[in-house]
């Protein structure tokens, strides 16, 4: 009889333990990350995980060009996520297609989008959405460039952009003001980029700009325009050129001086903070706006920087990559 | 072969066999281990290189992020850790052996730095503040709540330079930094900074803590005999017991 009682007690304790563990598992809110297979995106996921793994059950869904929206629908039903993280333009587009197929009355699961170009345009028609821009504000680049080239004046920066980027340039202008930097711009109207680009660049040069900032827009910066307009212009410009992709600061192109790109792991950490904020705000993402990336990698074209500008070599320790 | 020599041979084999794990343990463990996590204006890679040079015989690992440091300290249990006081307290299992001091003080003042206007400390609950993450989200919340009478909304970063970013990009109203770091931001930025002192708040600069029950003789020796260049890198000028 005593033994039976003892077994009974042990079984009861085991049941209680299992219940507690199950409670622990189910107490975690689930989060679905929809992304492409890519190293930088994986690093961003690592950044998210480093912050939220104790609070959320994280499920990843890798998508590609063949993924259909009904697969997203199935995953959403299976997981019932409290929040969705969308990485890359392709994943955001796919999610938008899935949302389009839902009735208007359906609940809008909050989403955080990241690692995609022109985020404001990408997510403007997604309900309950927050995001992080991929484009690094020019003020970040200038402040960092100024620290390695203290003798080069960097007070007036020029930019060429298409009309749709006007708001973004305006925001950048405000950030620049805080650092006593003037941002002057030339707009390329319509789609006839080539005929306007050269004129716009020459106009900026005539305005005595100290450096040129080139945003990541493949209609303005592409293989054909690089050969026909950008490279010849850079050859004569003789002042720092700031870009948003590493390839354009490769010394062999004799083009970009300084590239500043988002740090993918830290983008994930930043996204995690937004996720916590949305949870604390009753799963409401509206009104948050889209944040700029706050942590970056800095790459310098050392060959050009040494040839054209005076470099403070001691300050190079803050540069992540030096291309010779 | 006599019984004696036979038994000696057996004993020798047994001793050798017993010694193997000891020898391999020593060779695997190598030198004394010192893990460092200290938010400074110097990159972790560079700090690792310089610390390795100035602390011979010690296996040094420098971390830039709190989560990485915490994970590896708990997993590897290094002989000593060199970090901020609250980190030592939160991690547990380590006791402070040496305190870094600057101008005779082992604690330093912290300030709030904002753009253009000082911070009204009565409005702290309604603004966002940027801090370097040395304790993780929950630990930092507790720390901030200890500094102010109310809990501000926090934005945490893991690179010192990102503090300037979040201030410039209007992601926070102010950043909370050790007063000693202000010159770094002044040199980097042309922003019109406003400083709000927090006279009641002081934090420990840096401390060497040893694993409880262990000894880290080399780490203690290396720090007490450290050259002035390395001391400057760790933002102290003396080590006190």
């Amino acid at each position: 009889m005593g033994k039976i009682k003892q077994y009974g007690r042990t079984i009861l304790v085991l049941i209680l333990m299992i219940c507690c563990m199950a409670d622990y598992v189910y107490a975690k809110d689930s989060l679905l990350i929809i992304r492409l297979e890519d190293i930088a995106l994986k690093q961003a996921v690592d950044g998210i995980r480093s912050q939220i793994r104790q609070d959320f059950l994280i499920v990843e869904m890798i998508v590609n060009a063949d993924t259909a929206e009904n697969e997203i629908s199935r995953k959403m039903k299976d997981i019932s996520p409290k929040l969705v993280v969308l990485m890359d333009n392709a994943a955001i587009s796919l999610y938008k297609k899935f949302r389009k197929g839902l009735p208007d009355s359906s609940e809008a699961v909050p989403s955080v989008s990241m690692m995609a170009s022109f985020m404001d345009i990408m997510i403007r028609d997604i309900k309950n959405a927050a995001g992080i821009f991929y484009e690094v504000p020019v003020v970040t680049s200038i402040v960092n460039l100024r620290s390695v080239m203290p003798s080069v004046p960097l007070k007036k920066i020029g930019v060429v952009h298409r009309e749709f980027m006007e708001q973004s340039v305006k925001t950048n202008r405000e950030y620049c003001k805080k650092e006593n930097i003037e941002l002057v711009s030339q707009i390329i109207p319509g789609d006839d980029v080539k005929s306007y680009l050269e004129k716009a660049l020459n106009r900026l040069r005539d305005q005595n700009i100290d450096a040129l900032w080139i945003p990541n827009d493949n209609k303005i910066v592409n293989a054909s325009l690089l050969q026909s307009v950008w490279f010849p212009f850079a050859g004569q410009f003789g002042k720092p050129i700031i870009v948003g992709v590493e390839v354009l600061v490769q010394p062999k192109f004799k083009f970009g001086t300084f590239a500043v790109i988002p740090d993918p792991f830290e983008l994930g950490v930043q996204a995690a903070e937004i996720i916590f904020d949305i949870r604390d705000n009753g799963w409401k993402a509206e009104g948050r706006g889209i944040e700029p990336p706050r942590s970056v990698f800095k790459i310098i074209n050392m060959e050009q920087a040494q040839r054209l500008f005076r470099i403070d070599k001691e300050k190079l320790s803050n540069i992540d990559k030096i291309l010779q | 072969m006599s019984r004696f020599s036979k038994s000696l041979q057996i004993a020798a084999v047994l001793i050798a066999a017993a010694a193997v794990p000891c020898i391999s343990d020593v060779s695997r463990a190598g030198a004394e281990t010192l893990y460092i996590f200290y938010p400074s204006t110097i990159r972790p890679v560079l700090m690792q290189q310089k610390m390795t040079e100035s602390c011979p015989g010690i296996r040094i690992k420098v971390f830039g992020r709190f989560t990485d440091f915490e994970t590896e300290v708990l997993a590897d249990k290094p002989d000593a850790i060199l970090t901020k006081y609250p980190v030592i307290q939160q991690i547990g299992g380590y006791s402070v052996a040496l305190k870094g001091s600057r101008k005779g003080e082992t604690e330093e003042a912290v300030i709030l730095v904002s753009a253009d206007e000082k911070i009204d400390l009565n409005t702290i609950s309604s603004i966002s503040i940027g801090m370097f993450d040395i304790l993780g989200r929950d630990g930092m919340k507790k720390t901030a709540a200890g500094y102010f009478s109310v809990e501000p909304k926090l934005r945490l970063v893991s690179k010192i330079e990102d503090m300037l970013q979040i201030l410039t990009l209007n992601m926070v109203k102010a950043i909370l930094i050790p007063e000693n770091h202000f010159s770094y931001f002044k040199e980097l930025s042309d922003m019109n900074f406003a400083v709000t002192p927090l006279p009641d708040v002081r934090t420990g600069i840096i401390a060497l803590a040893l694993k409880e029950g262990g000894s880290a003789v080399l780490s203690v020796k290396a720090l007490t005999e450290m050259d002035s260049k390395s001391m400057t890198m760790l933002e102290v000028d003396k080590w006190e017991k």
Side-chain angles (χ1 to χ4, degrees), chain A residues 140 178-179 263 266 273 277 291 294-295 298 315 318 320, chain B residues 43 65 153 155-156 158-159 161-162 165 167 170 187 189-190:
Chain A
T140 307
K178 285 177 106 172
E179 283 286 351
D263 173 340
E266 288 298 328
E273 210 160 57
D277 283 353
E291 292 182 3
R294 67 179 184 207
S295 197
K298 291 154 270 175
K315 296 284 164 54
N318 287 326
D320 298 282
Chain B
R43 296 263 162 137
R65 293 188 185 100
K153 189 171 154 37
R155 285 268 164 182
L156 303 176
S158 41
K159 290 184 200 166
E161 68 217 50
D162 294 350
Q165 283 279 105
L167 189 60
N170 304 326
E187 196 188 332
S189 169
D190 272 358

PDB file of all heavy atoms in Angstrom, chain A residues 140 178-179 263 266 273 277 291 294-295 298 315 318 320, chain B residues 43 65 153 155-156 158-159 161-162 165 167 170 187 189-190:
ATOM      1  N   THR A 140      25.376  59.785 -41.217  1.00  0.00           N
ATOM      2  CA  THR A 140      26.206  58.743 -40.601  1.00  0.00           C
ATOM      3  C   THR A 140      27.516  58.595 -41.370  1.00  0.00           C
ATOM      4  O   THR A 140      28.600  58.518 -40.788  1.00  0.00           O
ATOM      5  CB  THR A 140      25.453  57.390 -40.627  1.00  0.00           C
ATOM      6  OG1 THR A 140      24.176  57.584 -40.036  1.00  0.00           O
ATOM      7  CG2 THR A 140      26.197  56.309 -39.909  1.00  0.00           C
ATOM      8  N   LYS A 178      21.687  68.877 -38.064  1.00  0.00           N
ATOM      9  CA  LYS A 178      22.155  68.710 -36.677  1.00  0.00           C
ATOM     10  C   LYS A 178      23.671  68.673 -36.597  1.00  0.00           C
ATOM     11  O   LYS A 178      24.253  68.999 -35.575  1.00  0.00           O
ATOM     12  CB  LYS A 178      21.580  67.419 -36.075  1.00  0.00           C
ATOM     13  CG  LYS A 178      20.116  67.523 -35.715  1.00  0.00           C
ATOM     14  CD  LYS A 178      19.605  66.212 -35.197  1.00  0.00           C
ATOM     15  CE  LYS A 178      19.389  66.206 -33.717  1.00  0.00           C
ATOM     16  NZ  LYS A 178      18.718  64.987 -33.240  1.00  0.00           N
ATOM     17  N   GLU A 179      24.294  68.235 -37.673  1.00  0.00           N
ATOM     18  CA  GLU A 179      25.753  68.126 -37.698  1.00  0.00           C
ATOM     19  C   GLU A 179      26.385  69.263 -38.508  1.00  0.00           C
ATOM     20  O   GLU A 179      27.545  69.150 -38.937  1.00  0.00           O
ATOM     21  CB  GLU A 179      26.175  66.771 -38.289  1.00  0.00           C
ATOM     22  CG  GLU A 179      26.024  65.598 -37.337  1.00  0.00           C
ATOM     23  CD  GLU A 179      27.096  65.581 -36.238  1.00  0.00           C
ATOM     24  OE1 GLU A 179      28.044  66.368 -36.313  1.00  0.00           O
ATOM     25  OE2 GLU A 179      26.949  64.772 -35.296  1.00  0.00           O
ATOM     26  N   ASP A 263      24.870  47.051 -40.504  1.00  0.00           N
ATOM     27  CA  ASP A 263      25.422  45.861 -39.856  1.00  0.00           C
ATOM     28  C   ASP A 263      24.240  44.895 -39.661  1.00  0.00           C
ATOM     29  O   ASP A 263      23.337  45.179 -38.879  1.00  0.00           O
ATOM     30  CB  ASP A 263      26.031  46.298 -38.510  1.00  0.00           C
ATOM     31  CG  ASP A 263      26.506  45.131 -37.648  1.00  0.00           C
ATOM     32  OD1 ASP A 263      26.060  43.996 -37.878  1.00  0.00           O
ATOM     33  OD2 ASP A 263      27.310  45.382 -36.736  1.00  0.00           O
ATOM     34  N   GLU A 266      23.292  43.707 -36.059  1.00  0.00           N
ATOM     35  CA  GLU A 266      22.745  44.790 -35.248  1.00  0.00           C
ATOM     36  C   GLU A 266      21.356  45.231 -35.751  1.00  0.00           C
ATOM     37  O   GLU A 266      20.545  45.714 -34.973  1.00  0.00           O
ATOM     38  CB  GLU A 266      23.710  45.977 -35.213  1.00  0.00           C
ATOM     39  CG  GLU A 266      24.953  45.717 -34.382  1.00  0.00           C
ATOM     40  CD  GLU A 266      24.666  45.455 -32.901  1.00  0.00           C
ATOM     41  OE1 GLU A 266      23.695  46.009 -32.366  1.00  0.00           O
ATOM     42  OE2 GLU A 266      25.414  44.680 -32.286  1.00  0.00           O
ATOM     43  N   GLU A 273      14.196  44.993 -30.630  1.00  0.00           N
ATOM     44  CA  GLU A 273      13.714  46.068 -29.759  1.00  0.00           C
ATOM     45  C   GLU A 273      12.317  46.530 -30.212  1.00  0.00           C
ATOM     46  O   GLU A 273      11.435  46.763 -29.390  1.00  0.00           O
ATOM     47  CB  GLU A 273      14.701  47.228 -29.830  1.00  0.00           C
ATOM     48  CG  GLU A 273      14.757  48.025 -28.556  1.00  0.00           C
ATOM     49  CD  GLU A 273      16.035  48.829 -28.468  1.00  0.00           C
ATOM     50  OE1 GLU A 273      16.281  49.629 -29.376  1.00  0.00           O
ATOM     51  OE2 GLU A 273      16.783  48.636 -27.491  1.00  0.00           O
ATOM     52  N   ASP A 277       8.724  46.398 -28.226  1.00  0.00           N
ATOM     53  CA  ASP A 277       7.878  47.600 -28.120  1.00  0.00           C
ATOM     54  C   ASP A 277       6.458  47.307 -28.598  1.00  0.00           C
ATOM     55  O   ASP A 277       5.487  47.734 -27.978  1.00  0.00           O
ATOM     56  CB  ASP A 277       8.456  48.742 -28.974  1.00  0.00           C
ATOM     57  CG  ASP A 277       9.643  49.408 -28.304  1.00  0.00           C
ATOM     58  OD1 ASP A 277       9.929  49.069 -27.135  1.00  0.00           O
ATOM     59  OD2 ASP A 277      10.296  50.245 -28.948  1.00  0.00           O
ATOM     60  N   GLU A 291      12.175  53.213 -38.917  1.00  0.00           N
ATOM     61  CA  GLU A 291      13.420  53.715 -38.315  1.00  0.00           C
ATOM     62  C   GLU A 291      14.587  53.589 -39.288  1.00  0.00           C
ATOM     63  O   GLU A 291      14.642  52.633 -40.060  1.00  0.00           O
ATOM     64  CB  GLU A 291      13.790  52.860 -37.086  1.00  0.00           C
ATOM     65  CG  GLU A 291      12.855  53.015 -35.938  1.00  0.00           C
ATOM     66  CD  GLU A 291      13.305  52.179 -34.730  1.00  0.00           C
ATOM     67  OE1 GLU A 291      14.370  51.533 -34.787  1.00  0.00           O
ATOM     68  OE2 GLU A 291      12.572  52.192 -33.737  1.00  0.00           O
ATOM     69  N   ARG A 294      20.667  51.848 -37.254  1.00  0.00           N
ATOM     70  CA  ARG A 294      21.474  52.621 -36.313  1.00  0.00           C
ATOM     71  C   ARG A 294      22.918  52.134 -36.192  1.00  0.00           C
ATOM     72  O   ARG A 294      23.737  52.784 -35.574  1.00  0.00           O
ATOM     73  CB  ARG A 294      20.817  52.612 -34.936  1.00  0.00           C
ATOM     74  CG  ARG A 294      20.819  51.255 -34.297  1.00  0.00           C
ATOM     75  CD  ARG A 294      20.204  51.275 -32.944  1.00  0.00           C
ATOM     76  NE  ARG A 294      20.323  49.970 -32.354  1.00  0.00           N
ATOM     77  CZ  ARG A 294      19.504  49.488 -31.452  1.00  0.00           C
ATOM     78  NH1 ARG A 294      18.493  50.216 -31.046  1.00  0.00           N
ATOM     79  NH2 ARG A 294      19.692  48.300 -30.949  1.00  0.00           N
ATOM     80  N   SER A 295      23.199  50.980 -36.777  1.00  0.00           N
ATOM     81  CA  SER A 295      24.551  50.446 -36.652  1.00  0.00           C
ATOM     82  C   SER A 295      25.086  50.061 -38.035  1.00  0.00           C
ATOM     83  O   SER A 295      24.367  49.435 -38.816  1.00  0.00           O
ATOM     84  CB  SER A 295      24.527  49.214 -35.748  1.00  0.00           C
ATOM     85  OG  SER A 295      25.823  48.930 -35.324  1.00  0.00           O
ATOM     86  N   LYS A 298      31.741  50.186 -41.975  1.00  0.00           N
ATOM     87  CA  LYS A 298      32.363  51.242 -42.772  1.00  0.00           C
ATOM     88  C   LYS A 298      33.512  50.664 -43.588  1.00  0.00           C
ATOM     89  O   LYS A 298      34.363  49.963 -43.041  1.00  0.00           O
ATOM     90  CB  LYS A 298      32.904  52.327 -41.837  1.00  0.00           C
ATOM     91  CG  LYS A 298      31.797  53.113 -41.152  1.00  0.00           C
ATOM     92  CD  LYS A 298      32.235  53.705 -39.845  1.00  0.00           C
ATOM     93  CE  LYS A 298      31.995  52.776 -38.695  1.00  0.00           C
ATOM     94  NZ  LYS A 298      32.488  53.212 -37.411  1.00  0.00           N
ATOM     95  N   LYS A 315      42.931  56.956 -36.875  1.00  0.00           N
ATOM     96  CA  LYS A 315      41.471  56.839 -36.814  1.00  0.00           C
ATOM     97  C   LYS A 315      40.949  55.664 -37.648  1.00  0.00           C
ATOM     98  O   LYS A 315      39.771  55.320 -37.578  1.00  0.00           O
ATOM     99  CB  LYS A 315      40.817  58.141 -37.308  1.00  0.00           C
ATOM    100  CG  LYS A 315      41.133  59.344 -36.436  1.00  0.00           C
ATOM    101  CD  LYS A 315      40.312  59.286 -35.159  1.00  0.00           C
ATOM    102  CE  LYS A 315      40.793  60.191 -34.050  1.00  0.00           C
ATOM    103  NZ  LYS A 315      40.947  61.577 -34.378  1.00  0.00           N
ATOM    104  N   ASN A 318      38.755  52.555 -36.493  1.00  0.00           N
ATOM    105  CA  ASN A 318      37.289  52.529 -36.406  1.00  0.00           C
ATOM    106  C   ASN A 318      36.631  52.124 -37.721  1.00  0.00           C
ATOM    107  O   ASN A 318      35.405  52.072 -37.806  1.00  0.00           O
ATOM    108  CB  ASN A 318      36.768  53.902 -35.983  1.00  0.00           C
ATOM    109  CG  ASN A 318      37.047  54.153 -34.516  1.00  0.00           C
ATOM    110  OD1 ASN A 318      37.018  53.242 -33.709  1.00  0.00           O
ATOM    111  ND2 ASN A 318      37.364  55.389 -34.183  1.00  0.00           N
ATOM    112  N   ASP A 320      35.786  49.376 -40.554  1.00  0.00           N
ATOM    113  CA  ASP A 320      35.649  47.918 -40.521  1.00  0.00           C
ATOM    114  C   ASP A 320      36.440  47.211 -41.617  1.00  0.00           C
ATOM    115  O   ASP A 320      36.889  46.089 -41.430  1.00  0.00           O
ATOM    116  CB  ASP A 320      34.164  47.543 -40.634  1.00  0.00           C
ATOM    117  CG  ASP A 320      33.375  48.086 -39.466  1.00  0.00           C
ATOM    118  OD1 ASP A 320      33.444  47.482 -38.393  1.00  0.00           O
ATOM    119  OD2 ASP A 320      32.737  49.148 -39.598  1.00  0.00           O
TER     120      ASP A 320
ATOM    121  N   ARG B  43      37.820  49.288 -30.496  1.00  0.00           N
ATOM    122  CA  ARG B  43      37.183  48.066 -31.013  1.00  0.00           C
ATOM    123  C   ARG B  43      37.667  46.827 -30.258  1.00  0.00           C
ATOM    124  O   ARG B  43      38.861  46.732 -29.929  1.00  0.00           O
ATOM    125  CB  ARG B  43      37.542  47.881 -32.487  1.00  0.00           C
ATOM    126  CG  ARG B  43      37.015  48.979 -33.359  1.00  0.00           C
ATOM    127  CD  ARG B  43      35.747  48.512 -33.947  1.00  0.00           C
ATOM    128  NE  ARG B  43      35.000  49.640 -34.437  1.00  0.00           N
ATOM    129  CZ  ARG B  43      34.377  49.652 -35.598  1.00  0.00           C
ATOM    130  NH1 ARG B  43      34.421  48.612 -36.361  1.00  0.00           N
ATOM    131  NH2 ARG B  43      33.671  50.688 -35.954  1.00  0.00           N
ATOM    132  N   ARG B  65      29.820  42.394 -27.188  1.00  0.00           N
ATOM    133  CA  ARG B  65      28.395  42.358 -26.832  1.00  0.00           C
ATOM    134  C   ARG B  65      28.201  41.617 -25.523  1.00  0.00           C
ATOM    135  O   ARG B  65      28.803  40.566 -25.305  1.00  0.00           O
ATOM    136  CB  ARG B  65      27.581  41.636 -27.909  1.00  0.00           C
ATOM    137  CG  ARG B  65      27.524  42.351 -29.207  1.00  0.00           C
ATOM    138  CD  ARG B  65      26.536  41.652 -30.143  1.00  0.00           C
ATOM    139  NE  ARG B  65      26.563  42.274 -31.452  1.00  0.00           N
ATOM    140  CZ  ARG B  65      27.219  41.786 -32.481  1.00  0.00           C
ATOM    141  NH1 ARG B  65      27.864  40.651 -32.378  1.00  0.00           N
ATOM    142  NH2 ARG B  65      27.212  42.417 -33.642  1.00  0.00           N
ATOM    143  N   LYS B 153      12.084  55.045 -21.064  1.00  0.00           N
ATOM    144  CA  LYS B 153      12.055  54.082 -22.168  1.00  0.00           C
ATOM    145  C   LYS B 153      13.495  53.980 -22.704  1.00  0.00           C
ATOM    146  O   LYS B 153      14.125  55.001 -22.970  1.00  0.00           O
ATOM    147  CB  LYS B 153      11.120  54.612 -23.248  1.00  0.00           C
ATOM    148  CG  LYS B 153      10.824  53.630 -24.332  1.00  0.00           C
ATOM    149  CD  LYS B 153       9.726  54.191 -25.199  1.00  0.00           C
ATOM    150  CE  LYS B 153       9.770  53.656 -26.614  1.00  0.00           C
ATOM    151  NZ  LYS B 153      10.137  52.288 -26.781  1.00  0.00           N
ATOM    152  N   ARG B 155      16.677  52.610 -25.154  1.00  0.00           N
ATOM    153  CA  ARG B 155      17.175  52.126 -26.440  1.00  0.00           C
ATOM    154  C   ARG B 155      18.592  51.660 -26.177  1.00  0.00           C
ATOM    155  O   ARG B 155      19.434  52.450 -25.732  1.00  0.00           O
ATOM    156  CB  ARG B 155      17.201  53.258 -27.468  1.00  0.00           C
ATOM    157  CG  ARG B 155      15.855  53.607 -27.992  1.00  0.00           C
ATOM    158  CD  ARG B 155      15.648  52.807 -29.215  1.00  0.00           C
ATOM    159  NE  ARG B 155      14.260  52.765 -29.602  1.00  0.00           N
ATOM    160  CZ  ARG B 155      13.844  52.065 -30.644  1.00  0.00           C
ATOM    161  NH1 ARG B 155      14.687  51.371 -31.345  1.00  0.00           N
ATOM    162  NH2 ARG B 155      12.588  52.038 -30.962  1.00  0.00           N
ATOM    163  N   LEU B 156      18.851  50.382 -26.411  1.00  0.00           N
ATOM    164  CA  LEU B 156      20.165  49.835 -26.068  1.00  0.00           C
ATOM    165  C   LEU B 156      21.015  49.624 -27.321  1.00  0.00           C
ATOM    166  O   LEU B 156      20.501  49.186 -28.357  1.00  0.00           O
ATOM    167  CB  LEU B 156      19.992  48.503 -25.343  1.00  0.00           C
ATOM    168  CG  LEU B 156      19.132  48.569 -24.075  1.00  0.00           C
ATOM    169  CD1 LEU B 156      18.936  47.182 -23.489  1.00  0.00           C
ATOM    170  CD2 LEU B 156      19.755  49.488 -23.038  1.00  0.00           C
ATOM    171  N   SER B 158      25.124  48.305 -28.803  1.00  0.00           N
ATOM    172  CA  SER B 158      26.310  47.564 -28.390  1.00  0.00           C
ATOM    173  C   SER B 158      27.583  48.039 -29.079  1.00  0.00           C
ATOM    174  O   SER B 158      28.584  47.327 -29.105  1.00  0.00           O
ATOM    175  CB  SER B 158      26.109  46.055 -28.553  1.00  0.00           C
ATOM    176  OG  SER B 158      25.449  45.776 -29.729  1.00  0.00           O
ATOM    177  N   LYS B 159      27.542  49.243 -29.646  1.00  0.00           N
ATOM    178  CA  LYS B 159      28.769  49.892 -30.128  1.00  0.00           C
ATOM    179  C   LYS B 159      28.673  51.330 -29.634  1.00  0.00           C
ATOM    180  O   LYS B 159      27.628  51.977 -29.799  1.00  0.00           O
ATOM    181  CB  LYS B 159      28.832  49.912 -31.658  1.00  0.00           C
ATOM    182  CG  LYS B 159      29.050  48.588 -32.339  1.00  0.00           C
ATOM    183  CD  LYS B 159      29.193  48.834 -33.846  1.00  0.00           C
ATOM    184  CE  LYS B 159      28.938  47.597 -34.662  1.00  0.00           C
ATOM    185  NZ  LYS B 159      28.755  47.883 -36.091  1.00  0.00           N
ATOM    186  N   GLU B 161      29.853  54.053 -30.792  1.00  0.00           N
ATOM    187  CA  GLU B 161      29.561  55.029 -31.849  1.00  0.00           C
ATOM    188  C   GLU B 161      28.056  55.073 -32.178  1.00  0.00           C
ATOM    189  O   GLU B 161      27.554  56.092 -32.649  1.00  0.00           O
ATOM    190  CB  GLU B 161      30.377  54.711 -33.099  1.00  0.00           C
ATOM    191  CG  GLU B 161      29.957  53.431 -33.789  1.00  0.00           C
ATOM    192  CD  GLU B 161      31.111  52.637 -34.376  1.00  0.00           C
ATOM    193  OE1 GLU B 161      32.094  52.397 -33.646  1.00  0.00           O
ATOM    194  OE2 GLU B 161      31.012  52.250 -35.536  1.00  0.00           O
ATOM    195  N   ASP B 162      27.347  53.974 -31.924  1.00  0.00           N
ATOM    196  CA  ASP B 162      25.914  53.950 -32.213  1.00  0.00           C
ATOM    197  C   ASP B 162      25.124  54.865 -31.280  1.00  0.00           C
ATOM    198  O   ASP B 162      23.982  55.220 -31.568  1.00  0.00           O
ATOM    199  CB  ASP B 162      25.364  52.514 -32.124  1.00  0.00           C
ATOM    200  CG  ASP B 162      25.941  51.621 -33.207  1.00  0.00           C
ATOM    201  OD1 ASP B 162      26.595  52.157 -34.120  1.00  0.00           O
ATOM    202  OD2 ASP B 162      25.742  50.396 -33.143  1.00  0.00           O
ATOM    203  N   GLN B 165      24.713  57.895 -33.188  1.00  0.00           N
ATOM    204  CA  GLN B 165      23.727  57.639 -34.246  1.00  0.00           C
ATOM    205  C   GLN B 165      22.300  57.829 -33.755  1.00  0.00           C
ATOM    206  O   GLN B 165      21.508  58.514 -34.384  1.00  0.00           O
ATOM    207  CB  GLN B 165      23.849  56.176 -34.698  1.00  0.00           C
ATOM    208  CG  GLN B 165      24.984  55.888 -35.583  1.00  0.00           C
ATOM    209  CD  GLN B 165      24.623  56.272 -36.982  1.00  0.00           C
ATOM    210  OE1 GLN B 165      25.098  57.298 -37.450  1.00  0.00           O
ATOM    211  NE2 GLN B 165      23.763  55.530 -37.611  1.00  0.00           N
ATOM    212  N   LEU B 167      21.177  59.414 -31.334  1.00  0.00           N
ATOM    213  CA  LEU B 167      20.873  60.794 -30.944  1.00  0.00           C
ATOM    214  C   LEU B 167      20.671  61.659 -32.204  1.00  0.00           C
ATOM    215  O   LEU B 167      19.703  62.414 -32.297  1.00  0.00           O
ATOM    216  CB  LEU B 167      22.009  61.349 -30.075  1.00  0.00           C
ATOM    217  CG  LEU B 167      21.775  62.693 -29.404  1.00  0.00           C
ATOM    218  CD1 LEU B 167      20.571  62.641 -28.468  1.00  0.00           C
ATOM    219  CD2 LEU B 167      23.005  63.142 -28.617  1.00  0.00           C
ATOM    220  N   ASN B 170      17.360  61.079 -34.088  1.00  0.00           N
ATOM    221  CA  ASN B 170      16.145  61.338 -33.280  1.00  0.00           C
ATOM    222  C   ASN B 170      15.493  60.071 -32.733  1.00  0.00           C
ATOM    223  O   ASN B 170      14.275  60.034 -32.523  1.00  0.00           O
ATOM    224  CB  ASN B 170      15.090  62.115 -34.094  1.00  0.00           C
ATOM    225  CG  ASN B 170      15.633  63.409 -34.639  1.00  0.00           C
ATOM    226  OD1 ASN B 170      16.467  64.041 -34.001  1.00  0.00           O
ATOM    227  ND2 ASN B 170      15.168  63.803 -35.813  1.00  0.00           N
ATOM    228  N   GLU B 187      34.596  65.066 -30.146  1.00  0.00           N
ATOM    229  CA  GLU B 187      35.570  65.015 -31.231  1.00  0.00           C
ATOM    230  C   GLU B 187      34.935  64.508 -32.523  1.00  0.00           C
ATOM    231  O   GLU B 187      35.254  64.944 -33.616  1.00  0.00           O
ATOM    232  CB  GLU B 187      36.723  64.081 -30.821  1.00  0.00           C
ATOM    233  CG  GLU B 187      37.961  64.250 -31.692  1.00  0.00           C
ATOM    234  CD  GLU B 187      39.016  63.196 -31.410  1.00  0.00           C
ATOM    235  OE1 GLU B 187      39.072  62.697 -30.275  1.00  0.00           O
ATOM    236  OE2 GLU B 187      39.760  62.866 -32.341  1.00  0.00           O
ATOM    237  N   SER B 189      31.631  64.614 -33.374  1.00  0.00           N
ATOM    238  CA  SER B 189      30.414  65.278 -33.852  1.00  0.00           C
ATOM    239  C   SER B 189      30.480  66.798 -33.751  1.00  0.00           C
ATOM    240  O   SER B 189      31.152  67.349 -32.877  1.00  0.00           O
ATOM    241  CB  SER B 189      29.237  64.757 -33.019  1.00  0.00           C
ATOM    242  OG  SER B 189      28.093  65.518 -33.248  1.00  0.00           O
ATOM    243  N   ASP B 190      29.736  67.467 -34.653  1.00  0.00           N
ATOM    244  CA  ASP B 190      29.609  68.931 -34.604  1.00  0.00           C
ATOM    245  C   ASP B 190      28.277  69.331 -33.972  1.00  0.00           C
ATOM    246  O   ASP B 190      27.872  70.486 -34.033  1.00  0.00           O
ATOM    247  CB  ASP B 190      29.649  69.501 -36.028  1.00  0.00           C
ATOM    248  CG  ASP B 190      31.066  69.772 -36.483  1.00  0.00           C
ATOM    249  OD1 ASP B 190      31.985  69.552 -35.669  1.00  0.00           O
ATOM    250  OD2 ASP B 190      31.255  70.193 -37.635  1.00  0.00           O
TER     251      ASP B 190
END
